[in-house]
Amino acid sequence: MTATLLDGKATANTIKRELAARVAALRARGIVPGLGTLLVGNDPGSEIYVAAKHRDCAEIGVESIRIDLPATASQEQVNDAIRELNSDPRVSGFIVQLPLPAGLDVVQALSLIDPAKDADGLHPMNLGTLVLDSTGELGTPQPCTPAGIVELLTRYDIKLEGAAVCIIGAGPTVGRPLALLLTRRGVDASVALLHSKSLNVPSRARKADIIVAAAGSAHLVKADWVKPGAVVVDVGITREIDPVTGKSRQIGDVDPAVADVAGWLAPNPGGIGPMTRAMLLTNVVRCAERHQTTSQ
Ligand code: NAD
């Protein structure tokens, strides 16, 4: 591998240390930040993510409140659980772990979250503010994965202003909100947002200074899609059962050979996953700080 590592794990640990100090300051004033999670069903990936989020909370002094519902839960049971988290004073912010089992309405669920407690930044009002607030001055919760990508690139001093960024994958969690964050004033990147119907994806990727692979297609991005020295961020996740261990394992969107061409590489796992969780904690701490300000 010749690419320099964009180490999401180490950067997330730095952010967690910074947050721990803010949590201690809140606790000193009698405020205990709390993250709520709502997990519906037993998707193996989701179970791993939720457990990791609660471990993160324990590390930095954030309380965690967990509601688990069976895969057979009705929309009304899911809605009731969201209302419970909205009104629970221990919960500063919470998430509905996605994906929800088939048959449940994601938009209905996300729309019921109190926007002030929206730790994933996925409430339609907060997503809408992302479009309207071109500078980020309103400080509403940002979607965690796109925010984590921008934060990682920024902390490694990767130049974003004027950079040609090719995002492969125009999904609601990563690609589309990331395009909005990267084109904010003060960030000022130029974005090509590609998807499964886009033409000439390899040659368009090859023109980019920064490639963000967020399609969920295992090893999609090949070495000859990458301009030598470019920055590559591997976000997409495919899960498969390891035939040797029988355990679920995570495969990224970037072919391992890319590491020999790229200048910088955020690997998967170990890149954007930990950054996403660090941004979730950041949103929760901000929710607690904002609540403290508004209730004074
Ligand atoms: P999504 O899964 O809803 O949509 C995928 C997008 O990729 C669509 O726009 C689709 O058209 C495009 N796409 C699929 N195959 C393609 C191909 N061969 N060429 C070009 N485009 C293609 O999107 P999402 O919810 O934003 O999630 C994107 C990926 O990121 C998923 O794999 C998800 O699991 C992953 N993810 C990772 C993290 C992390 O922490 N690393 C966090 C959130 C999401």
Side-chain angles (χ1 to χ4, degrees):
M1 159 159 168
T2 55
T4 305
L5 181 69
L6 292 169
D7 192 339
K9 214 170 166 184
T11 307
N13 283 336
T14 304
I15 294 170
K16 281 196 271 186
R17 280 196 296 276
E18 293 163 6
L19 288 172
R22 284 161 65 179
V23 172
L26 283 165
R27 280 179 169 262
R29 289 195 289 281
I31 299 157
V32 180
L35 169 71
T37 62
L38 172 58
L39 174 64
V40 187
N42 43 19
D43 174 76
S46 296
E47 285 183 345
I48 292 168
Y49 301 143
V50 167
K53 287 165 188 176
H54 287 287
R55 279 200 306 275
D56 289 340
C57 285
E59 261 182 60
I60 68 161
V62 169
E63 193 179 336
S64 47
I65 299 96
R66 184 172 175 152
I67 300 182
D68 290 357
L69 295 177
T72 52
S74 66
Q75 185 75 41
E76 210 34 58
Q77 284 172 308
V78 171
N79 294 351
D80 282 345
I82 294 171
R83 291 188 193 101
E84 192 180 324
L85 290 163
N86 278 338
S87 57
D88 187 335
R90 296 171 304 161
V91 175
S92 315
F94 69 96
I95 61 153
V96 176
Q97 183 65 44
L98 301 179
L100 288 175
L104 294 172
D105 184 336
V106 180
V107 177
Q108 190 183 133
L110 293 176
S111 304
L112 267 181
I113 296 172
D114 176 349
K117 286 191 171 190
D118 177 24
D120 255 345
L122 294 178
H123 184 280
M125 202 174 96
N126 289 324
L127 283 176
T129 306
L130 210 59
V131 179
L132 294 171
D133 180 17
S134 59
T135 58
E137 67 194 330
L138 296 178
T140 46
Q142 297 180 359
C144 298
T145 305
I149 294 166
V150 175
E151 187 72 25
L152 184 65
L153 295 173
T154 305
R155 286 187 183 234
Y156 274 89
D157 288 329
I158 303 290
K159 190 172 184 290
L160 294 173
E161 187 184 320
V165 183
C166 178
I167 304 174
I168 303 172
T173 335
V174 188
R176 271 188 274 162
L178 177 63
L180 292 168
L181 287 182
L182 285 171
T183 50
R184 271 187 166 165
R185 253 182 288 143
V187 183
D188 302 316
S190 295
V191 172
L193 183 56
L194 309 186
H195 47 76
S196 53
K197 299 284 165 60
S198 296
L199 303 177
N200 308 318
V201 174
S203 64
R204 294 170 79 178
R206 217 158 24 237
K207 291 196 178 76
D209 304 312
I210 301 172
I211 298 172
V212 179
S217 176
H219 295 173
L220 173 71
V221 177
K222 307 296 181 204
D224 63 359
W225 294 28
V226 178
K227 179 168 75 175
V231 177
V232 178
V233 180
D234 190 355
V235 189
I237 293 172
T238 305
R239 287 206 163 271
E240 64 168 31
I241 299 298
D242 186 322
V244 179
T245 63
K247 286 186 181 161
S248 167
R249 73 172 173 201
Q250 179 172 326
I251 300 176
D253 279 4
V254 174
D255 192 278
V258 166
D260 297 326
V261 182
W264 297 85
L265 178 64
N268 187 355
I272 299 309
M275 288 301 294
T276 298
R277 279 158 42 203
M279 291 300 110
L280 174 65
L281 293 174
T282 302
N283 280 344
V284 172
V285 173
R286 276 200 196 127
C287 286
E289 289 170 343
R290 285 190 136 209
H291 180 73
Q292 174 205 14
T293 314
T294 51
S295 58
Q296 269 170 358

